[in-house]
Amino acid sequence: MIVLKFGGTSVQSAEMIDRALDIASSYLDRAPLLVASAMAQTTDSLVAIRDAAGAGREEEARAILAAQRARHVRTLEELVSGERLEATRERLDRLFAELSSLIKGLALLRECTPRSSDAILSIGELLSTAIVAARAEERGIPTELLDSRDFIRTDDRFSAAAPLYEATNRLVRARVKPRPGHLLVAQGFIGRTESGVTSTLGRGGSDFTATILGAALEASEVQIWTDVNGIMTSDPRVVAEARTIERISYGEAAELAYFGAKVVHPSTIQPAIETGIPVLVMNTRDPHGPRTCIVERAEGVGLRAIAGKKGITLIHVSSTRMLNAYGFLSRIFATFEKHRTPVDLIATSEVSVSMTIDNTSGLKGIMADLEEIGRVRVEADLAIICLVGQDLWKEPSFVAEVFTALNDTPIRMISLGSSDINLSLVVPADTLEAAVRALHRGFFDSGG
Ligand code: ASP
Ligand code: MG
């Protein structure tokens, strides 16, 4: 079997839903399970509804509901007719009635618990899949619409619930029966706790659903259909010559995820990683175009991609007392822990430590505490350039080429990942684009 996951933009309109179904029907002989997100912007609108209702602004919540209802019904009417239209419209109406009761409840209580938030957000995927399944039937595709809450079991950390794998795998195998010639349709993102309450896996969680299902059903692959041609060698908005990476390892993709390559998040493909199932990233608008295959180990040595991220702050702590002493690093890290600020890159010498952060909300407090430990210097407006590739160090000329390409760029810090798959450089933010373009030219355009 095969899992086809369509993101919000891939089901955002009647036209896109038909494109998604063109793709799904071309895989009918591979026993496809289609997992869909909510139509683009729906979850954001549901968040707005939740916030308005929870603050007692019921009118505002209802106005957003009305707009969402109109949009979903209009899309359905473009795709389905006759009795099927009536039946599916009733289905949508029941979901909007449920949403309406939730608004009432929240507005009365003037509060919103994570649990009621999940009840509201889950409606987006229930709506989109009802439309997708109805359209598939309308097109004569033998279709079964499933309710993912019947088999995705989660803990009760609402808004970011974690799957309970034992129960989930058992339920999935019992209730989801892929077969050639049939299309199964299920919601991404949503699940249910052991006590039967609706939960969600966290924003962007539909990819997670897809790989959970793929792993449970031993899929031959999980295809993530989105609005870009896979993972690119660099951000195409910065580097015009950026191109799709054909094959990339899970580890390389994970490094890139931190840097704007938001195509797939490593935590959401964990079930595929653990079971060795390839994850393909494909473009619904360009189904035969370039795509990326994420695999356990991609062949070939060398640079795979260059990513960049602005908004980086560098903190240096130096102290001669650090020389030959121990305990400095743990005191420094305790400070970051206290202020709940993750450190991304680190470089140390005998008498100093340099660290980058991208969340500066706790910076004042961090500095005050670090000043107890040593002399502190902060540099803001920096950027990280991350070069990702398997066994970069097996190519002795690699570092030389990096520095040649960055001839004019002042490098503020260097960090070589222990994973052997990334070299990160910190540079002034206003030099980022030019530096990334120079590196891309150096490594990818000259056939290097
Ligand atoms: N609809 C959810 C969200 O927007 C889940 C997803 O799209 O993956 O976060
Ligand atoms: Mg997504």
Side-chain angles (χ1 to χ4, degrees), residues 98-162:
E98 205 179 307
L99 182 55
S100 173
S101 320
L102 286 161
I103 290 174
K104 174 112 255 150
L106 258 53
L108 279 172
L109 293 169
R110 291 204 181 217
E111 74 165 4
C112 180
T113 59
R115 178 176 163 148
S116 21
S117 173
D118 276 4
I120 290 179
L121 300 199
S122 69
I123 288 173
E125 271 69 11
L126 291 165
L127 292 166
S128 67
T129 48
I131 300 173
V132 169
R135 176 57 177 172
E137 282 175 357
E138 185 90 359
R139 287 174 53 158
I141 304 169
T143 305
E144 187 186 346
L145 174 59
L146 305 168
D147 186 330
S148 294
R149 293 172 298 181
D150 293 341
F151 40 82
I152 302 289
R153 253 330 132 264
T154 75
D155 64 17
D156 57 6
R157 281 182 295 160
F158 296 102
S159 84

Side-chain angles (χ1 to χ4, degrees), residues 5 37-38 43 125 189 202-207:
K5 182 263 171 175
S37 289
T43 311
E125 271 69 11
F189 185 51
R203 293 303 305 271
S206 293
D207 292 347

Side-chain angles (χ1 to χ4, degrees), residues 87 97 142 162 201 290 301 312 351 361 425 432:
L201 302 173
V301 169
I312 301 296
V351 294
S361 58
L425 307 158
L432 176 68

Side-chain angles (χ1 to χ4, degrees), residues 73-92:
V73 170
R74 198 183 334 111
T75 307
L76 178 70
E77 285 168 350
E78 284 177 51
L79 292 170
V80 179
S81 59
E83 276 175 30
R84 188 172 291 116
L85 172 61
E86 291 316 315
T88 315
R89 194 158 42 199
E90 268 169 39
R91 193 181 193 114
L92 301 190

Side-chain angles (χ1 to χ4, degrees), residues 300-362:
V301 169
L303 191 64
R304 201 86 69 189
I306 305 164
K309 188 183 172 91
K310 287 188 182 175
I312 301 296
T313 299
L314 189 53
I315 303 174
H316 307 275
V317 184
S318 55
S319 167
T320 45
R321 283 179 291 144
M322 215 180 279
L323 199 63
N324 279 327
Y326 51 82
F328 273 104
L329 285 178
S330 68
R331 285 177 66 195
I332 290 172
F333 291 136
T335 304
F336 286 95
E337 191 181 338
K338 176 178 157 198
H339 296 279
R340 297 169 174 271
T341 300
V343 169
D344 296 313
L345 300 180
I346 304 169
T348 71
S349 76
E350 271 301 332
V351 294
S352 72
V353 185
S354 305
M355 293 147 293
T356 68
I357 58 172
D358 61 12
N359 171 1
T360 51
S361 58

